[in-house]
Every structure is written in structure tokens, then in C-alpha cells.
Amino acid sequence: MRKPRATPVEALPMLPPLPGWITAAPAETLAAAAFRSGAALAHLGLATAAGDVPMALLRDRLALSAAEVCAGIAGRREGARGLRDALHLTKAGDDPGPAGRVLWQWSQAAARPISVAHLARALAGVAPERIALCLDAAGPTPVDRAALVLEAVLTETPRAETAALILADAVLAKSLGGTYLLPLLSLALKARDLRLRGDDLRLACHRAVFAGAGQALPMAGDLARAAARLRAVVPKLRAKAAMRAVDLFLSRDALAPAALAREMPDNLSDRAARRFCERLVELGVLRELTGRDTFRLFGV
């Protein structure tokens, strides 16, 4: 009996987009916006539950997007490329600067399971007791709980926008039964939204969650296909522990060759790591993210 032919990597289906009945639903009232954000969250959860999406990479890529929003709220205009440079091209132990610290906070918060201790490390200066109160927030819906946390933190410390948004997204994820923070709420809130209070803020948060889910879905689909293509080339790679290196790229938004070598000191030198990254670019499964010939960063 002839064996069935393997499905080509390129034939992987896209994740289903938000259905039209969700996107077309009105959001003028708080109840309507809550319905729409809840439907979007449910759809996102189902669409990413199949296992094809590299969730660690999705979290880190969304953390970059959230950090870009936070940098903009703070009046900075580095953009994604500048944020990556500030974090990844700073020597260990050196200060990555304001922009780099924002990205570091988001990446750290999304990298490990939600807990008071972990968030306290990512949010230096925020008391663990304050974080614990935030994580125990109560409200009728997960988005309402996140909005309550956002309002409480910003009322107490108006300039702590990044910490407030990280805690709000952590509460949202925890309320949805998630183990890890998945940046969603923070992707679409504007500086003017953070000055709102009460039902006005809740409405803005429901709208932002809907928009954030709309951003996360196509990104998750792109990363699922990219991950399949990357895993498919492993047999062609001569480097020892190639799968380990591939797994690192499937969990990080960006890596410098030197950082890849540090993660795998028994398998890759700096030079070998650079050649490995270049080979993956030649195979069309990795991107060089800076457009430079030196001080380069690579990612899926």
C-alpha cells in the first residue's frame, strides 16, 4: 500500500481570522464592547491551542510590540529596530538605556510563568505586596479586572505606565487561565486612554483587547508557518545540536550570533554561530533584522 505523501510545509493553513460577525459587531456601549472583546479572546485561545504556534516566540514578539507602544507613550520614538538594538547590543551588566529597559521589562515579564516573584524581578521598584494585590483583582470579566488594575496603579503612580500595562496584561492572562503573560491589552491603548477612569477606561480596555487579538492572530499564523519551515531544514544542517539552536530562535524575538554562542558554548563558537545564522538566512528560514553588515541580529 502506497504511503500518503507528506503535506508540504508551505501548505500549512493560516490560523482562522476573526469571524465577520465579531469584527462587524458594534462597540459603542460597554456591554457591546465587552461582548466583542470576549468573543475575540475566545477565538484567539482556540486558534492558538492546536500546538503549531511557537508560543514563547509569539509572547516575545508581542512583548516587542507592547514595548514600542510604551516607549511611544513615554515620548520616545526608537521603534522596534531601536528597541532591539538597545537591548541586544548592550554588553551584559551595562545599562541598556530607557528604551532598552522598557523592552527588557516586557520580555522578562512574558518569558516565565506569572508569579509575584517573577513580576517583582521584572518590575523593579514595584512592591511584591502591590503585585500580589493586582493579581488577585476581582471583576465581572477578565478585561474588567485588567482595567481595575490599570486604574489603581496609574492613580497611585501616574507615570508608571509600563508597570501598569504589564500588570494589567498579567491579570488579563491569569484571569483567562493562562500561565504566561501574553501582551494584548497593551498593544492598542493610547496615552489618552490611560488618563480615563471608571467605565470610560473599561470601554477603552475592551476595545484595546479586541484590537490586540486582531494583531496577535495573523502574527501567530505567520510564526506557525515560519516555525514549520525552520524545523524542516534541521536535517540539512551540519552544526551539532542544530535543533537546540532552532529551539532558541523559536523562543526569542531576536538573537545576536554571540548570544547564540553563549547559549551553546559546547557546540558553537562566535564564528560558527555567525555562519550558522547566515546559513539559515540562505535557506530562507531566518531573517537578518537590522539591515547592517555588522552588529547584526537574527530572528524568525
Side-chain angles (χ1 to χ4, degrees):
M1 182 177 179
R2 179 180 296 178
K3 294 182 179 179
R5 296 177 63 182
T7 302
V9 171
E10 291 78 5
L12 282 175
M14 295 183 66
L15 296 186
L18 286 173
W21 64 267
I22 298 178
T23 57
E28 287 81 6
T29 67
L30 184 56
F35 169 79
R36 195 163 72 151
S37 68
L41 287 170
H43 181 82
L44 177 64
L46 290 173
T48 57
D52 295 327
V53 179
M55 291 303 296
L57 175 55
L58 177 63
R59 289 192 296 269
D60 206 31
R61 189 64 53 84
L62 289 174
L64 173 66
S65 298
E68 191 172 358
V69 170
C70 287
I73 290 172
R76 308 195 65 86
R77 294 292 181 267
E78 278 84 355
R81 182 174 294 186
L83 289 169
R84 282 183 176 127
D85 282 357
L87 179 62
H88 296 290
L89 300 182
T90 299
K91 293 182 180 179
D94 288 351
D95 184 357
R101 286 196 296 273
V102 170
L103 180 53
W104 182 87
Q105 286 181 304
W106 272 106
S107 295
Q108 288 294 305
R112 294 183 180 177
I114 297 168
S115 70
V116 173
H118 174 56
L119 288 172
R121 286 192 294 270
L123 300 174
V126 181
E129 296 80 10
R130 187 76 176 103
I131 295 172
L133 285 173
C134 288
L135 293 181
D136 288 337
T141 73
V143 179
D144 290 320
R145 294 171 207 167
L148 287 171
V149 166
L150 195 59
E151 179 170 352
V153 174
L154 290 176
T155 298
E156 183 177 306
T157 315
R159 299 301 300 272
E161 294 96 342
T162 296
L165 288 167
I166 288 174
L167 288 168
D169 260 322
V171 169
L172 176 63
K174 181 175 179 287
S175 299
L176 292 167
T179 302
Y180 292 85
L181 185 159
L182 182 68
L184 288 177
L185 174 67
S186 306
L187 301 181
L189 283 173
K190 304 292 190 292
R192 62 178 179 272
D193 296 326
L194 301 184
R195 295 191 289 270
L196 300 173
R197 294 294 181 264
D199 285 350
D200 290 337
L201 179 59
R202 291 170 63 202
L203 178 60
C205 287
H206 281 291
R207 288 172 171 168
V209 165
F210 172 78
Q215 291 183 47
L217 267 172
M219 182 185 292
D222 290 344
L223 293 180
R225 292 187 298 280
R229 288 192 291 269
L230 182 54
R231 292 189 183 103
V233 304
V234 171
K236 302 179 182 179
L237 304 175
R238 296 180 180 179
K240 294 180 179 178
M243 193 66 234
R244 165 64 177 152
V246 165
D247 285 341
L248 286 170
F249 278 114
L250 291 177
S251 64
R252 313 280 179 86
D253 165 64
L255 276 170
L260 181 62
R262 285 196 298 271
E263 293 279 357
M264 305 177 62
D266 297 331
N267 303 108
L268 290 174
S269 64
D270 284 3
R271 184 177 179 185
R274 185 170 61 252
R275 289 199 305 267
F276 181 80
C277 293
E278 291 169 349
R279 174 61 174 153
L280 291 177
V281 172
E282 290 173 0
L283 291 170
V285 295
L286 205 65
R287 294 181 296 142
E288 201 288 311
L289 301 171
T290 69
R292 296 188 296 255
D293 294 328
T294 58
F295 301 105
R296 294 183 295 174
L297 297 172
F298 295 86
V300 173

